[in-house]
């Protein structure tokens, strides 16, 4: 199993390591990144925990996260396949990029390379990913990386007491490779987020 993947666009996928701590702190300093981690990454200690978690999951075979590196080794983003089921040969894909390179194809090229690696090196058959419907940029990445739209998961995520619908995408190992040029995305129409509904107690039937 390869732990380094060279991409034709000049990018390199490699495992995260302890020396990336500054890059992680810088990436998560942007407000838009606040939902990309289970805990706030606002210190060197928090960034180190984030990196350690990635290394532990890699060693356990439960998730594989790659730093997307550019010229000179600069960290430009992250692509990851997790929630791996060996029973069904499936996995869940996620990705993010630093603010400076958004819209330049880094996430698309990284996601394409990750998918090929997951199919060829891990032997997975189906990859899934999801994005909030008010995130058209993520939808464009998913479509350009060959992930077809499969449906809508209503009010799946909640951030700051607001619930969001999620559009589900998937790609199979037998699907054709996506073309090099980005295709116009076909995304679920952007809708306003819903306020979280009050929690309702369930009562046993009598």
């Amino acid at each position: 199993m390869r732990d380094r993947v060279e991409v034709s666009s000049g990018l390199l996928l490699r495992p995260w390591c302890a020396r990336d701590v500054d890059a992680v702190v810088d990436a998560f300093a942007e407000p838009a990144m606040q939902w990309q981690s289970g805990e706030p990454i606002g210190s060197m200690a928090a960034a180190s925990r984030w990196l350690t978690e990635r290394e532990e999951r890699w060693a356990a075979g439960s998730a594989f996260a790659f730093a997307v590196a550019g010229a000179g080794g600069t960290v430009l983003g992250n692509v990851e396949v997790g929630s791996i089921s060996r029973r069904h040969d499936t996995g869940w894909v996620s990705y993010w990029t630093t603010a400076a390179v958004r819209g330049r194809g880094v996430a698309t090229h990284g996601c394409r390379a990750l998918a090929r690696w997951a199919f060829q090196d891990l032997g997975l058959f189906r990859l899934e990913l999801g994005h909030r419907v008010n995130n058209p940029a993520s939808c464009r990445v998913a479509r350009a990386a060959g992930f077809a739209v499969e449906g809508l998961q209503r009010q799946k995520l909640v951030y700051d007491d607001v619930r969001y619908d999620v559009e589900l995408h998937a790609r199979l190992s037998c699907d054709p490779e996506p073309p090099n040029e980005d295709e116009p995305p076909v995304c679920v129409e952007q809708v306003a987020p819903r306020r979280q509904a009050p929690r309702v107690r369930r009562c046993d039937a009598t």
Side-chain angles (χ1 to χ4, degrees):
M1 182 179 71
R2 293 171 295 165
D3 62 359
R4 297 170 70 86
V5 181
E6 294 185 0
V7 186
S8 59
S9 57
L11 302 175
L12 172 69
L13 307 189
R14 61 161 177 81
W16 290 93
C17 60
R19 70 173 181 272
D20 295 320
V21 63
D22 288 329
V24 172
V25 171
D26 291 343
F28 281 93
E30 185 195 2
M33 289 287 290
Q34 63 178 322
W35 296 339
Q36 294 291 339
S37 175
E39 69 164 310
I41 309 295
S43 67
M44 299 286 280
S48 294
R49 287 193 296 272
W50 188 90
L51 289 167
T52 298
E53 186 177 65
R54 259 84 254 128
E55 293 175 0
E56 290 175 345
R57 290 179 178 179
W58 185 295
S62 60
F64 299 88
F66 289 92
V68 183
T74 303
V75 172
L76 306 177
N78 174 74
V79 290
E80 181 171 352
V81 56
S83 299
I84 293 171
S85 168
R86 291 298 184 180
R87 170 67 178 83
H88 302 289
D89 290 332
T90 59
W92 183 267
V93 169
S94 59
Y95 44 83
W96 55 259
T97 59
T98 59
V101 298
R102 287 194 192 125
R104 300 184 183 180
V106 172
T108 297
H109 289 293
C111 192
R112 287 179 179 178
L114 176 74
R116 287 192 295 269
W117 180 86
F119 293 142
Q120 296 171 5
D121 291 47
L122 292 185
L124 299 184
F125 176 75
R126 174 183 168 89
L127 298 175
E128 300 175 350
L129 64 82
H131 62 82
R132 288 174 286 111
V133 295
N134 66 339
N135 188 353
S138 188
C139 183
R140 286 191 291 270
V141 170
R143 289 298 302 260
F147 287 74
V149 176
E150 290 199 338
L152 185 70
Q153 297 172 303
R154 297 180 300 157
Q155 300 190 55
K156 180 179 182 180
L157 301 178
V158 58
Y159 298 113
D160 297 331
D161 294 328
V162 179
R163 298 210 71 93
Y164 295 89
D165 293 345
V166 171
E167 185 173 83
L168 179 66
H169 295 244
R171 180 174 169 182
L172 308 181
S173 61
C174 53
D175 285 342
E177 278 286 320
N180 290 329
E181 65 276 11
D182 293 342
E183 296 179 343
V186 180
C187 306
V188 173
E189 183 179 359
Q190 181 173 337
V191 297
R194 302 180 178 91
R195 279 287 162 189
Q196 185 173 11
R199 299 186 184 276
V200 179
R201 292 181 181 273
R202 291 189 57 189
C203 301
D204 294 333
T206 56

